[in-house]
């Protein structure tokens, strides 16, 4: 009885014992260099940590108040208290001053939909609550929004692009053009680029922003959206390989951010959603399994000449059914797609920080 489980545990103990030795050697930079090269920081589980959260939204400038759940009246606080614990190493602590001084004179640009916005907003908040009252300027003009930290010359920006590829106004309507990415050239030249896309590709409402899909001379009233997404990402990948100078720019791709509208995925009731959830799932695997698009996207990225660093947040975010805005946003409704800040996106940024500097 229980022996398969015991076997799994002892195997993982053996695997981990190597890096644990390094981890106990002290929290030096070299330790983490070894750890990040040898350790999968995206495999792990959530643990309660009294010292969390990493940022406090009450000390942050928000672009809008969409993600500030505390301000929108979210009463429970436990969701702020979970730290991501990789199986085989420890993550560094986020040090806002260290981040600013390493980034001195540099630019970071998040490009994508509101999940990139979510992460950009969180990073700005982590810096504002971690550094001693830095002077912050927010410059906002669609599609570009920038947090500037003038004492450090650091510029952290967000460029809104739901699909990454172009939407072109034509006499017959708005075309989502799968093989055109002309808008992208304004993203070049920064030090760190982080992209994302997906959620808008599966929308069917009037908000989706296009009337038909075009690829070359072929026009489609509609098509398999997963395939459309993959074509779009291949166009992005070609652009990135051809145009991004990776000796100057580090490129990240944010993994697919999951939603929580179907309780059945986490062995909950069929009608259950993220609403009223106050705790994460405590294992390392999501009962509902992976999303098919995750592997397809990974294939596109891996086939690149110079693949971006995949910020593989999918599984760790699937475990956080408790971390969504739900009803605590100025927009109303029950949002099980976006995430509270402070909250889960702070961990995405902690992982970004670990990937960049350790
Ligand atoms: C992302 O991380 C999860 C959890 O560790 C893992 O199962 C998955 O294979 C990873 N995906 C990629 C593309 O590396
Ligand atoms: C955030 O800061 C405010 C004001 O300093 C404080 O009252 C509140 O408890 C803090 N929230 C968290 C979650 O630490
Ligand atoms: C901040 O960076 C963005 C993106 O690279 C750039 O377009 C913008 O001009 C910069 N803002 C300032 C004030 O330097
Ligand atoms: C769309 O294409 C994907 C990838 O080939 C496939 O797995 C999926 O079943 C297709 N969806 C539909 C509705 O045909």
């Amino acid at each position: 009885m229980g022996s398969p489980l015991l076997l799994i545990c002892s195997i993982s103990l053996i695997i981990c014992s190597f890096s644990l030795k390094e981890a106990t050697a002290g929290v030096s930079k070299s330790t983490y260099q070894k750890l990040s090269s040898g350790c999968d920081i995206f495999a792990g589980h959530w643990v309660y940590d009294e010292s969390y959260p990493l940022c406090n939204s009450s000390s942050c400038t928000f672009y809008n108040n969409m993600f500030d759940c505390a301000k929108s009246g979210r009463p429970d606080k436990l969701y702020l208290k979970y730290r991501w614990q990789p199986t085989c190493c420890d993550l560094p602590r986020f040090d806002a001053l260290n981040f600013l001084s390493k980034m001195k004179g540099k630019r970071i640009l998040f490009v994508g939909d509101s999940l990139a916005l979510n992460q950009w907003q969180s990073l700005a908040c982590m810096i504002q609550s971690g550094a001693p009252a830095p002077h912050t300027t927010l410059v906002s003009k669609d599609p570009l929004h920038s947090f500037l930290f003038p004492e450090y010359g650091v510029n952290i920006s967000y460029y809104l692009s739901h699909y990454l590829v172009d939407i072109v106004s034509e006499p017959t309507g708005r075309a989502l053009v799968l093989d055109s990415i002309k808008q992208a050239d304004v993203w070049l030249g920064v030090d760190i680029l982080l992209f994302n896309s997906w959620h808008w590709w599966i929308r069917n409402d009037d908000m989706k922003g296009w009337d038909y899909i075009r690829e070359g001379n072929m026009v489609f009233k509609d098509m398999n959206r997963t395939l459309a997404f993959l074509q779009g990402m291949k166009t992005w990948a070609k652009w990135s390989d051809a145009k991004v100078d990776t000796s100057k720019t580090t490129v990240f791709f944010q993994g697919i951010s999951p939603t929580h509208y179907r309780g059945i995925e986490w062995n909950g009731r069929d009608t259950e959603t993220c609403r009223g959830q106050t705790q994460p799932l405590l294992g390392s695997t999501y009962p509902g399994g992976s999303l098919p698009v995750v592997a397809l996207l990974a294939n596109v990225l891996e086939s690149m000449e110079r693949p971006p660093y995949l910020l593989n947040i999918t599984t760790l975010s699937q475990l956080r059914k408790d971390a969504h805005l739900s009803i605590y946003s100025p927009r109303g409704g029950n949002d099980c797609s976006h995430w509270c800040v402070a909250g889960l996106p702070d961990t995405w940024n902690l992982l970004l920080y670990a990937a960049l500097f350790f």
Side-chain angles (χ1 to χ4, degrees):
M1 250 176 56
S3 57
L5 194 65
L6 262 176
L7 185 64
I8 292 168
C9 285
S10 55
I11 288 172
S12 70
L13 267 177
I14 292 166
I15 294 170
C16 292
S17 59
F18 297 102
S19 25
L20 273 177
K21 236 188 237 156
E22 284 162 9
T24 50
V27 191
S28 69
K29 185 170 156 56
S30 61
T31 304
Y32 285 120
Q33 264 169 351
K34 274 185 213 146
L35 290 180
S36 60
S37 55
C39 167
D40 179 0
I41 54 177
F42 303 104
H45 61 283
W46 291 97
V47 294
Y48 179 82
D49 188 326
E50 188 48 52
S51 74
Y52 266 48
L54 295 173
C55 85
N56 183 336
S57 62
S58 71
S59 49
C60 298
T61 312
F62 277 85
Y63 154 61
N64 58 31
N65 290 317
M66 183 175 162
F67 307 125
D68 188 352
C69 294
K71 186 163 186 173
S72 297
R74 183 165 179 171
D76 59 307
K77 299 271 179 277
L78 195 54
Y79 74 99
L80 294 166
K81 293 283 179 196
Y82 285 91
R83 172 171 59 78
W84 179 246
Q85 177 62 59
T87 308
C88 290
C89 57
D90 291 326
L91 290 171
R93 280 200 70 82
F94 185 81
D95 179 339
L97 271 182
N98 180 42
F99 183 88
L100 284 171
S101 57
K102 287 235 164 70
M103 291 305 301
K104 197 172 179 65
K106 296 191 169 160
R107 291 186 288 166
I108 304 179
L109 180 60
F110 292 83
V111 183
D113 61 25
S114 50
L115 278 316
L117 174 69
N118 221 167
Q119 186 174 353
W120 168 73
Q121 183 66 78
S122 155
L123 183 59
C125 190
M126 288 166 82
I127 292 169
Q128 288 186 303
S129 29
H135 177 223
T136 311
T137 314
L138 174 61
V139 182
S140 257
K141 188 165 183 292
D142 264 332
L144 181 73
H145 308 273
S146 306
F147 276 109
L148 307 170
F149 299 90
E151 290 100 327
Y152 296 87
V154 176
N155 173 341
I156 303 181
S157 294
Y158 163 68
Y159 189 104
L160 169 72
S161 172
H162 293 141
Y163 300 99
L164 301 183
V165 294
D166 296 329
I167 290 180
V168 178
S169 281
E170 304 180 336
T172 40
R174 296 162 303 171
L176 174 62
V177 187
L178 302 183
D179 54 354
S180 173
I181 187 163
K182 294 203 179 82
Q183 62 166 340
D185 287 347
V186 302
W187 308 331
L188 293 170
V190 303
D191 301 279
I192 295 165
L193 270 172
L194 189 145
F195 293 93
N196 94 315
S197 193
W198 168 239
H199 286 238
W200 282 70
W201 290 87
I202 45 179
R203 279 181 89 137
N204 274 316
D205 54 14
D206 294 338
M207 291 281 291
K208 71 184 189 300
W210 51 266
D211 302 308
Y212 51 88
I213 298 177
R214 190 157 65 72
E215 185 173 15
N217 295 325
M218 293 177 297
V219 171
F220 307 91
K221 185 78 206 130
D222 205 343
M223 66 185 281
N224 180 320
R225 300 295 187 80
T226 304
L227 293 179
F229 169 70
L230 291 173
Q231 280 314 107
M233 293 311 100
K234 281 179 192 164
T235 300
W236 173 85
K238 258 191 232 158
W239 167 82
S240 179
D241 270 341
K243 295 284 188 72
V244 178
D245 178 352
T246 48
S247 68
K248 296 206 174 74
T249 303
T250 310
V251 185
F252 288 85
F253 208 99
Q254 184 197 74
I256 306 283
S257 175
T259 61
H260 290 90
Y261 289 105
R262 302 175 57 234
I264 206 147
E265 287 176 7
W266 58 88
N267 302 328
R269 290 186 320 279
D270 200 13
T271 52
E272 211 169 310
T273 68
C274 70
R275 185 170 179 171
Q277 304 287 339
T278 57
Q279 285 180 63
L281 294 159
L282 291 178
S284 289
T285 52
Y286 189 59
S290 180
L291 302 159
V293 70
V294 166
L296 298 171
L297 173 63
N299 279 343
V300 173
L301 301 182
E302 280 160 18
S303 69
M304 290 170 68
E305 258 168 64
R306 287 180 297 280
Y309 184 104
L310 175 64
L311 204 63
N312 182 6
I313 54 145
T314 308
T315 305
L316 66 94
S317 305
Q318 283 181 315
L319 300 172
R320 295 306 304 271
K321 60 185 169 57
D322 58 324
H324 290 284
L325 304 184
S326 184
I327 57 172
Y328 303 107
S329 105
R331 300 203 307 184
N334 179 33
D335 185 336
C336 297
S337 172
H338 299 100
W339 311 90
C340 298
V341 174
L344 174 70
D346 310 345
T347 293
W348 301 353
N349 284 313
L350 179 60
L351 293 161
L352 175 69
Y353 177 72
L356 276 172
F357 302 128
F358 295 93

